[in-house]
Amino acid sequence: MFPSLAAARVRFDEFARLEPRLTALWSACAELARPEPEHLEDPFDFDPFVHDQLADDWCTEDHFFRFIKPQLLPLIGWQRRGDPAELQTSEAYDAVFTALFQFALDRTCNCCRAQHKSAA
């Protein structure tokens, strides 16, 4: 749909001007990072050489579908209520979803990185 990150960002920004809350979703996608172990009381007690199964099971794309997409749905596409009507179209949803998922999302997990390297 978009030939480059720049083209995706231009189109995304057109919709973000109409719905400013979309900008926070771009930032959320760009800043995703694997969570640190939460079971530590002392943050200096973290050993990067110790295998952490919880962190290894975390997936960037899974996080996107569980937390980012539910925030996106009421803002753009057929689930949007209210004006402007341009944001209620499937074209608008497809453009914003693709820009977020394909270009903004920082795939920091091992499973997504490996998958996208093999596809390239």
Side-chain angles (χ1 to χ4, degrees), residues 35-79:
E36 294 296 328
E38 296 175 8
H39 60 277
L40 299 176
E41 291 181 21
D42 181 1
F44 297 106
D45 193 26
F46 176 70
D47 184 354
F49 299 104
V50 173
H51 181 72
D52 184 0
Q53 187 64 39
L54 290 175
D56 287 346
D57 287 343
W58 185 82
C59 174
T60 305
E61 291 181 2
D62 180 55
H63 182 86
F64 177 87
F65 285 110
R66 291 178 63 208
F67 298 104
I68 304 293
K69 186 177 177 186
Q71 295 176 57
L72 175 66
L73 294 175
L75 301 178
I76 198 156
W78 68 270
Q79 289 186 18

Side-chain angles (χ1 to χ4, degrees), residues 6 19 32 45 52 71 74 99 108 116:
E19 176 52 79
L32 277 180
D45 193 26
D52 184 0
Q71 295 176 57
T108 56
H116 286 279

